[in-house]
């Protein structure tokens, strides 16, 4: 037989595109259209409905960037359409190739009720299944003219303050039509079979059976009367559509989904509208399709619907009760996991799961994080302590170098906790259930022979409207279809239950899920990252002192509502395109303002609580909210600081520069303003590698291959400029307490002033760096070449630390050329180590080299600032103050202590006398992460602790108030079956036994 495959395939594509699809909506009758352009920001629905509308016509331009236009559309169903299915087609000027990244609309009835969203693949509105002639149509469309910002070029359209006011869109179509059901079904038949056919091998007989059926169907289509010939054409396809799947076919659990970034190429306020449009589509689709199941993560997004669209929220609640609208994830937002602090990660689950429990009465067990940029090794324990048992991610498929070896596995965290994890082999979280995607999922699945099923999230994301009726049609046809995986629409928990049952002994992956891409997100938008770090620290302070005051002072009221509101705002800004710095300028401008306002409010809460605790008096009390005692002031208490250590001396250095010493460290700053020696006097050991200089600022070109704000590509290292030219060098003294060498430099269009300070009694060299940053596509690093033979580095992560190799033996290690650390990174050889501490920096790199003398230099560098042009062309421009410290001779315990001390400054308050800690722990390895009152408002004290050094620890938690009992709890403050907490003694002492890196939450019930 002659091979005519290409002829039939081409014929099908043309007939489908030019004849059959246009016939789905027939007999178009124009609707009357009027418009009102809302001034400024979006208005409430009632205001939009009541506005004065003016004339408008199809073809008219509308919508400057970020504007809102209300369209009023009216019409009458022709009498001759009685009994027919009638739909309106409302095309705002969509580009069909970019759902979610352009104009969008929400249709309302005249009473303000939502009907459905309008998007490129969802531009229809059902009028009636069986119309009545003369039926009146009246709708109001709230249309958002969001600019298209996906081409990865620098643009000022990403902020309303700098965007142009020219119209971006033209109204394309506003018609009443007859919906030809049989033609629509024919389109679905043809598309499913064509997709399946092209995925089958040319030697597969099934491919040719489909080809001949398609040939016959096309022969049966009357191009002059497609509606009249659709049924006969479909009859030729019935047999090939009825052929059942092979018994061994891969099984796919299809879960409706609409991944919506809580901010990205649009501001937060636009996400509020995006989720309403998508959710209205979803509930409307559920009304027509009882098999449809939809999963929605991010409690914040549902809370927005509850706040701004209460009628829609009530419709969602009914679908949740039916088990078809499924809240998943359990987190407040789909947050970044690399940089979010430990306590903040716990609160993501606390507030997320509480919302789902309070509003829907459900407790999700699946963590849903498809799009975050790598996953911390602390996550499995946090997941388990939140009451979740399963984890889903997708982003690791984006890794540039190494292909992850599993799709279903058990993920083991730093403490040994394991969570059943799935990584969908379809390699997308916005599937359209096409034959190509499903075939890829089956081919790509790496558990063949052990497991047989995978999960596919389907639906247009980011405001693209979510799942469509076309998606559901594909799922129905591929439920049991020869040559295709078996597709079943079902809930995520049903998938995990089946997957765990068949593959309970899935392989184990231990440690972080490092994404070999988007490493620049550890550094971009420094002020957003600084705001997050300081917000987390200020919340710790505010809660600690407010809880202490509430227990000690009957007249003090714990600010439950204020703290919860602030926490939720901080958690929202930890979303995986805000905290990582990969959103438009508008998002980060608002974030900076939000962090500033929250900081003032938190400092006010802290001041009020400390004043209540300190009482009336004229003594200067130092409040220490760090988890370790310092200067004689206990952790979590206030008192008079102990005397300082030896006075700090400052002398001229031979050859230029200055020498600072305090009896513990001697620091030499040379004539270039660089640290050429940081000598540990107690250990008799030099920190800085021979011939090298520390605190060396370095500039690299930074122009990655694609994702500007997201990526740092390895070739940036090929060119480097050391900043050694000096403008000024001077030394200042603060009596015997400290001495500072002040270094001023200029480079490019920028300048920097660094203050290198040694304090009395300190074992750290503190460096405050003030940068006026006006570079473009550059990366600023601070290098510390250390005389340490370290095969691995330790980086602080949530509730512990992770080790990473300093060598590049394998491609996995070489790919980790930029890594994330929280408050510290540590290097050591047996007997001695050093730590580099920071107050708001996350990006680091560690390299090693062997010197001619045989010694090893291990260089740690902090990534301080970047200057990418997309999506914010002014990223990081302006003034920055960054603090970091070198701690020679530090062990892990020192790094933990000094890292907290740098990030949790002491506060001085005038009062009557010392304030005893509310709780105390007698073992420094056990760190108190949080002290607060219980969320149920019952007055119990919640204490969260963790083992910080990676070893076993026995400790006693002492309560500074009478307690009735101590109960180990989960992150939602519910009783937990565990063994870490022993029974409290009559004196209020609670024995604790912790395994390495274990997190323990203790609920202390007040007597």
């Amino acid at each position: 037989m002659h091979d005519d495959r290409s002829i039939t395939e081409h014929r099908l594509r043309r007939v489908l595109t030019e004849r059959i699809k246009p016939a789905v909506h027939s007999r178009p009758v124009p609707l009357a259209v009027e418009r009102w352009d809302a001034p400024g920001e979006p208005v409430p629905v009632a205001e939009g409905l009541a506005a004065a509308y003016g004339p408008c016509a199809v073809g008219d331009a509308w919508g400057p960037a970020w504007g809102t236009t209300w369209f009023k559309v009216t019409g009458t169903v022709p009498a001759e359409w009685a009994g027919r299915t009638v739909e309106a087609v409302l095309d705002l000027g969509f580009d069909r190739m970019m759902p979610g990244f352009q104009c969008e609309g929400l249709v309302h009835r005249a009473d303000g009720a939502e009907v459905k969203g309008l998007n490129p693949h969802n531009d229809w509105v059902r009028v009636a299944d069986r119309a009545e002639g003369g039926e009146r149509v009246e709708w109001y469309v709230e249309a958002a003219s969001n600019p298209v910002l996906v081409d990865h070029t620098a643009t000022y359209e990403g902020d309303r303050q700098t965007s142009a006011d020219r119209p971006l869109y033209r109204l394309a179509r506003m018609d009443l039509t007859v919906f030809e059901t049989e033609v629509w079904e024919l389109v679905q038949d043809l598309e499913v079979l064509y997709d399946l056919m092209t995925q089958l091998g040319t030697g597969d007989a099934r491919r040719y059976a489909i080809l001949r059926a398609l040939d016959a169907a096309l022969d049966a289509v009357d191009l002059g009367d497609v509606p009249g010939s659709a049924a006969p054409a479909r009859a030729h396809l019935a047999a090939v559509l009825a052929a059942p799947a092979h018994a061994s076919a891969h099984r796919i659990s299809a879960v409706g989904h609409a991944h919506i970034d809580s901010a990205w190429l649009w501001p937060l306020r636009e996400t509020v509208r995006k989720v309403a449009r998508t959710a209205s589509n979803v509930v409307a689709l559920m009304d027509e399709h009882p098999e449809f199941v939809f999963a929605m993560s991010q409690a914040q997004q549902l809370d927005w619907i509850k706040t701004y669209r209460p009628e829609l929220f009530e419709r969602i609640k009914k679908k949740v009760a039916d088990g078809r609208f499924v809240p998943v994830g359990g987190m407040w937002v789909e947050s970044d996991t690399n940089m979010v602090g430990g306590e903040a990660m716990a609160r993501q689950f606390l507030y997320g799961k509480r919302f789902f429990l309070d509003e829907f009465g459900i407790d999700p067990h699946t963590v849903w994080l498809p799009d975050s940029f790598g996953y911390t090794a602390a996550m499995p324990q946090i997941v388990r302590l939140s009451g979740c048992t399963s984890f889903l991610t997708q982003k690791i498929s984006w890794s540039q170098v190494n292909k992850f070896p599993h799709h279903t596995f058990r993920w083991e965290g730093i403490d040994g906790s394991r969570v059943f994890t799935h990584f969908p082999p379809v390699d997308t979280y916005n599937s359209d259930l096409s034959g190509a995607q499903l075939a890829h999922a089956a081919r790509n699945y790496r558990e063949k022979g052990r497991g047989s099923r995978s999960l596919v999230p389907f639906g247009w994301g980011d405001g693209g409207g979510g799942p469509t009726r076309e998606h559901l049609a594909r799922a129905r046809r591929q439920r049991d279809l020869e040559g295709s995986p078996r597709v079943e629409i079902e809930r995520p928990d049903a998938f995990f239950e089946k997957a765990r049952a068949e593959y309970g002994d899935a392989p184990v992956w231990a440690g972080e899920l490092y994404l070999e891409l988007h490493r620049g997100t550890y550094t971009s938008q420094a002020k957003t990252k600084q705001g997050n770090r300081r917000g987390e620290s200020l919340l710790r302070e505010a809660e600690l002192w407010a809880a202490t005051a509430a227990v000690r002072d009957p007249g003090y009221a714990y600010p439950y509502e204020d703290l919860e509101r602030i926490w939720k705002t901080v958690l929202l800004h930890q979303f995986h395109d805000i905290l990582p710095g990969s959103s438009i300028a508008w998002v980060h401008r608002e974030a900076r303002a939000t962090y500033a306002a929250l900081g003032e409010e938190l400092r006010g809460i802290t001041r009020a609580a400390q004043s209540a605790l300190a009482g009336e008096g004229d003594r200067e009390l130092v409040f220490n909210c760090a988890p370790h005692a310092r200067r004689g002031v206990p952790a979590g208490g206030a008192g008079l600081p102990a005397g300082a250590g030896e006075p700090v001396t400052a002398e001229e250095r031979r050859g230029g520069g200055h020498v600072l010493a305090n009896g513990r460290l001697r620091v030499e700053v040379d004539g270039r303003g660089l640290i050429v020696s940081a000598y540990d006097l107690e250990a008799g050991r030099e920190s800085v590698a021979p011939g090298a200089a520390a605190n060396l600022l370095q500039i690299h070109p930074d122009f990655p291959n694609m994702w500007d704000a997201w990526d740092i590509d390895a070739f940036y290292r090929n060119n480097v400029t050391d900043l050694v030219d000096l403008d000024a060098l001077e030394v200042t003294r603060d009596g015997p307490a400290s001495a500072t060498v002040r270094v001023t430099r200029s480079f490019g269009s920028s300048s920097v002033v660094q203050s290198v300070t040694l304090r009395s009694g300190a074992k750290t060299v503190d460096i405050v760096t003030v940068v006026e940053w006006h570079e473009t596509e550059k990366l600023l690093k601070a290098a510390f070449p250390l005389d340490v033979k370290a095969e691995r580095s330790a980086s602080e992560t949530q509730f512990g630390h992770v080790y990473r190799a300093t060598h590049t033996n394998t491609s996995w290690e070489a790919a980790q050329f930029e890594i994330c650390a929280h408050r510290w990174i540590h290097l050591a050889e047996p007997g001695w180590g050093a730590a580099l501490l920071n107050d708001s920096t996350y990006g680091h790199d560690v390299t090693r080299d062997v010197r001619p003398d045989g010694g090893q230099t291990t260089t740690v560098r902090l990534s301080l600032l970047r200057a990418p042009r997309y999506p914010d062309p002014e990223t990081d421009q302006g003034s920055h103050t960054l603090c970091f410290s070198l701690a020679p001779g530090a062990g892990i315990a020192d790094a933990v202590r000094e890292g907290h001390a740098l990030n949790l400054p002491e506060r001085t308050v005038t009062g009557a006398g010392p304030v005893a800690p509310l709780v105390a722990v007698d073992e420094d390895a056990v760190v108190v992460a949080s002290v607060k009152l219980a969320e149920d408002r019952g007055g119990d004290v919640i204490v969260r602790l963790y083992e910080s050094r990676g070893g076993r620890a026995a400790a006693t938690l002492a309560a500074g108030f009478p307690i009735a009992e101590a109960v180990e709890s989960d992150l939602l403050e519910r009783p937990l079956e565990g063994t870490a907490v022993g029974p409290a003694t009559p004196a209020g002492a609670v024995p604790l036994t912790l395994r390495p890196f274990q997190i323990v939450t203790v609920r202390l019930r007040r007597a």
Side-chain angles (χ1 to χ4, degrees), residues 538-560:
L538 288 167
L539 275 161
R540 175 197 175 99
E541 281 192 87
E543 286 185 332
L544 170 64
W545 303 126
T548 306
V551 172
R552 298 273 171 75
D553 183 351
Y556 178 85
Y558 189 82
Y560 288 105

Side-chain angles (χ1 to χ4, degrees), residues 425-449:
V426 71
D427 285 347
T428 179
Y429 40 82
N430 295 310
S431 174
D432 61 4
L433 295 183
S434 67
Q437 289 183 351
L438 299 185
H440 174 74
R443 285 194 301 266
N444 191 39
Y445 183 60
R446 306 200 71 164
E447 317 306 322
K448 296 182 183 74

Side-chain angles (χ1 to χ4, degrees), residues 941-958:
V941 175
I942 303 295
V943 184
R944 191 151 20 254
L945 318 97
Y946 69 99
E947 195 289 317
S948 65
R949 300 177 188 175
R952 297 184 182 275
T956 300
L957 171 65

Side-chain angles (χ1 to χ4, degrees), residues 668-710:
E668 297 186 28
V669 180
D670 72 3
R672 302 169 297 171
L674 303 177
I675 298 174
V676 292
S677 174
Y679 194 81
D680 181 351
L681 293 167
E682 294 174 338
R685 171 72 181 261
E686 176 61 65
S687 306
V688 181
N695 191 33
L696 171 64
L697 297 178
Q698 297 178 305
I699 287 278
H700 294 272
D702 184 17
F703 190 63
N705 283 345
M706 181 174 180
W707 301 89
D708 288 14
W710 291 259

